[in-house]
């Protein structure tokens, strides 16, 4: 007897009938996905989720009656289900998307500038892939404890002076994707303000959203968090996030200062920025007097494993991987672990403690 694979039962939430129809048509073209209902606002979405218990929900942000963020809060607190946000590329849209990821949304899809571009082949592929990935994610109730504790714990730190020493002795290179923004919010605000090293972070995100992520993290951290800029010096007690659509690399100045180099070279494994590019860049520099720590965190796919392998082969870095239990998606850390190049596998909450001990912060 042939077994029938169950389809991914999906609910689409959007105030536009046209958008609901377009998204439904795209998703139902895939044999693995079934759109079981649609909703035109957050209130209706909650009612639909309670009644039908879908596997995955796509959620617009700006809607009448109840917007996507308000609905997401209730869903994640009472009826947890993987939610993918649909976000416009505006300053407000990017900020709202970062908030949604903090509240528990598993991922987001950037709306095209024109509704008629919704039929683009790349966007269709992205939507289907993200629905299938979200289906694999186990979502737990979010009582906003992490968010509240993080903000409360770092209120004093935000008011503390941020150092600008010009000598960095340690590089912490981080690669992450799905689940990364929330994971970064758990570790970046815990970096001591006197941290004698620099964080270089690749978070898979489109252009525009990385700036909002950096601003959000900077507002709750003791160190300076910013979107990386071409040719700026890499300073201690600073966190540099690769801008969307740019690879993040390093280079040396004529006076031997370490500088940021942004590149629009070809995407790697479909990503720009890519963690592999950052790790390879560090490996190519052959630092002899720099303490490098490679960190690979939650995310789909295998980006980062090849670059970390080069760092490990050249004996240039200590490598930390986030453990499976604390990952939203265990793809990226799993690939590094399978390659046999990871020195330490730890829960998310322990990553910063290991880094701080390695660099000897007082």
């Amino acid at each position: 007897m042939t077994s029938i694979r169950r389809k991914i039962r999906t609910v689409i939430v959007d105030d536009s009938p046209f958008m609901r129809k377009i998204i439904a048509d795209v998703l139902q073209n895939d044999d693995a996905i079934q759109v079981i209902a649609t909703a035109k606002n957050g209130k209706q979405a909650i009612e639909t989720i309670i009644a039908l218990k879908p596997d995955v929900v796509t959620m617009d942000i700006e809607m009448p009656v109840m917007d996507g963020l308000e609905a997401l809060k209730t869903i994640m607190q009472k009826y947890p289900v993987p939610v993918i946000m649909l976000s416009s590329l505006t300053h407000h849209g990017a900020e709202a998307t970062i908030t949604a990821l903090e509240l528990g949304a598993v991922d987001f899809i950037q709306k095209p500038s024109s509704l008629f571009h919704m039929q683009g082949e790349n966007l269709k592929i992205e939507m289907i892939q993200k629905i299938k990935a979200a289906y694999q994610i186990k979502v737990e109730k979010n009582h906003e404890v992490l968010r509240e504790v993080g903000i409360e714990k770092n209120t004093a730190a935000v008011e503390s002076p941020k150092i600008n020493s010009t000598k960095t002795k340690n590089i912490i290179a981080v690669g992450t994707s799905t689940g990364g923004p929330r994971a970064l919010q758990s570790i970046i605000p815990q970096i001591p303000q006197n941290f004698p090293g620099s964080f270089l972070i690749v978070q898979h995100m489109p252009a525009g959203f990385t700036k909002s992520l950096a601003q959000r993290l900077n507002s709750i951290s003791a160190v300076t968090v910013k979107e990386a800029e071409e040719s700026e010096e890499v300073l201690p007690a600073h966190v540099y996030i690769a801008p969307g659509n740019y690879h993040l690399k390093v280079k040396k100045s004529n006076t031997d200062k370490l500088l940021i180099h942004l590149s629009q070279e070809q995407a790697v494994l479909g990503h720009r920025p890519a963690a592999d590019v950052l790790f390879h860049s560090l490996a190519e520099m052959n630092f002899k007097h720099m303490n490098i720590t490679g960190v690979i965190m939650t995310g789909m796919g295998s980006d980062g494993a090849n670059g970390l392998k080069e760092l490990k082969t050249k004996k240039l870095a200590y490598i930390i991987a986030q453990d499976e239990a604390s990952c939203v998606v265990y793809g990226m850390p799993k690939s590094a672990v399978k390659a046999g190049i990871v020195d330490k596998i730890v829960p998310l909450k322990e990553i910063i403690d290991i880094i701080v001990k390695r660099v000897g912060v007082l």
Side-chain angles (χ1 to χ4, degrees):
M1 185 175 177
T2 305
S3 61
I4 300 175
R5 184 179 63 181
R6 191 171 81 82
K7 293 190 175 186
I8 303 169
R9 301 167 66 254
T10 306
V11 168
I12 298 166
V13 186
D14 201 294
D15 63 327
S16 163
F18 178 74
M19 284 293 292
R20 295 198 298 270
K21 175 72 164 59
I22 291 292
I23 296 170
D25 288 347
V26 169
L27 296 183
Q28 295 202 131
N29 264 335
D30 192 283
D31 292 339
I33 301 171
Q34 177 187 10
V35 177
I36 59 171
T38 62
K40 61 184 179 182
N41 58 56
K43 183 174 181 294
Q44 195 176 86
I46 293 169
E47 294 168 353
T48 303
I49 290 167
I50 294 170
L52 301 181
K53 296 179 173 57
D55 298 313
V56 180
V57 174
T58 70
M59 178 82 69
D60 192 22
I61 291 178
E62 295 184 13
M63 296 180 291
V65 184
M66 179 186 286
D67 67 23
L69 292 182
E70 286 302 314
L72 181 65
K73 287 179 187 178
T74 301
I75 291 165
M76 298 314 298
Q77 289 170 355
K78 297 181 179 179
Y79 319 104
V81 61
V83 177
I84 299 172
M85 307 303 292
L86 266 70
S87 174
S88 60
L89 182 53
T90 62
H91 179 68
H92 173 72
E95 285 189 333
T97 300
I98 300 304
T99 300
L101 295 172
E102 290 174 4
L103 292 172
V106 297
D107 209 338
F108 72 96
I109 295 168
Q110 180 186 336
K111 283 185 179 179
S113 55
S114 167
L115 291 179
F116 296 101
H117 292 158
M118 284 297 294
Q119 294 281 21
E121 201 59 36
N122 288 341
L123 186 58
K124 288 181 181 179
I125 292 169
E126 180 188 8
M127 289 177 67
I128 289 168
Q129 286 179 339
K130 289 193 172 183
I131 291 289
K132 290 180 177 179
Y135 178 57
Q136 304 295 327
I137 296 170
K138 182 180 178 182
V139 179
E140 297 180 354
K141 288 187 178 182
N142 174 22
H143 300 288
E144 293 190 285
V145 174
L146 277 177
R147 192 161 177 244
E148 289 172 1
V149 168
I151 292 172
E152 181 181 347
K153 190 168 185 176
N154 292 286
T155 300
V158 174
E159 299 169 355
S160 303
K162 296 178 178 180
I163 67 170
N164 285 290
S165 167
T166 57
K167 292 183 179 180
T168 188
K169 300 175 183 177
N170 305 278
I171 294 291
I172 294 82
V174 181
T176 187
S177 185
T178 310
R182 199 165 183 217
L184 290 172
Q185 190 185 346
S186 294
I187 66 172
I188 301 303
Q190 308 307 322
I191 303 170
Q193 71 174 38
N194 62 335
F195 189 78
S198 314
F199 279 71
L200 303 175
I201 296 178
V202 168
Q203 162 69 58
H204 294 162
M205 256 185 178
F209 294 88
T210 44
K211 187 169 186 177
S212 290
L213 174 63
Q215 290 172 340
R216 171 63 180 148
L217 289 170
N218 187 61
S219 72
I220 57 173
S221 300
V223 293
T224 299
V225 186
K226 68 188 301 292
E227 192 177 53
E229 298 178 58
E230 173 61 27
S231 296
E232 70 176 317
E233 185 180 355
V234 177
L235 300 173
H238 279 62
V239 176
Y240 301 90
I241 297 179
N245 204 30
Y246 284 87
H247 291 307
L248 175 60
K249 305 172 83 171
V250 293
K251 62 183 180 180
K252 282 186 179 178
S253 70
N254 294 333
T255 56
D256 219 30
K257 290 182 178 179
L258 188 63
L259 307 178
I260 295 288
H261 176 48
L262 301 180
S263 160
Q264 285 195 306
E265 294 167 25
Q266 188 174 352
V268 176
L269 299 174
H271 302 294
R272 189 169 63 206
D276 271 329
V277 173
L278 170 61
F279 297 146
H280 282 309
S281 175
L282 289 167
E284 288 165 8
M285 297 294 286
N286 277 313
F287 291 111
K288 295 179 180 178
H289 305 293
M290 188 78 71
N291 182 23
I292 300 175
T293 304
V295 183
I296 193 77
M297 293 172 26
T298 177
M300 286 187 288
S302 61
D303 182 29
N306 286 333
L308 288 174
K309 186 175 183 179
E310 185 180 2
L311 280 169
K312 178 53 68 176
T313 301
K314 291 184 174 181
K315 299 181 179 179
L316 294 173
Y318 181 88
I319 298 172
I320 301 169
Q322 184 178 348
D323 74 351
E324 183 173 8
S326 64
C327 282
V328 172
V329 181
Y330 190 50
M332 288 167 63
K334 182 180 180 180
S335 294
V337 171
K338 285 180 71 175
I341 53 175
V342 173
D343 295 293
K344 196 85 171 176
I345 304 169
V346 294
L348 175 65
K349 64 181 181 180
E350 294 181 21
I351 290 176
I352 199 65
D353 290 338
I354 292 173
I355 292 170
V356 167
K357 287 176 183 175
R358 286 205 78 238
V359 304
V361 176
L362 295 177

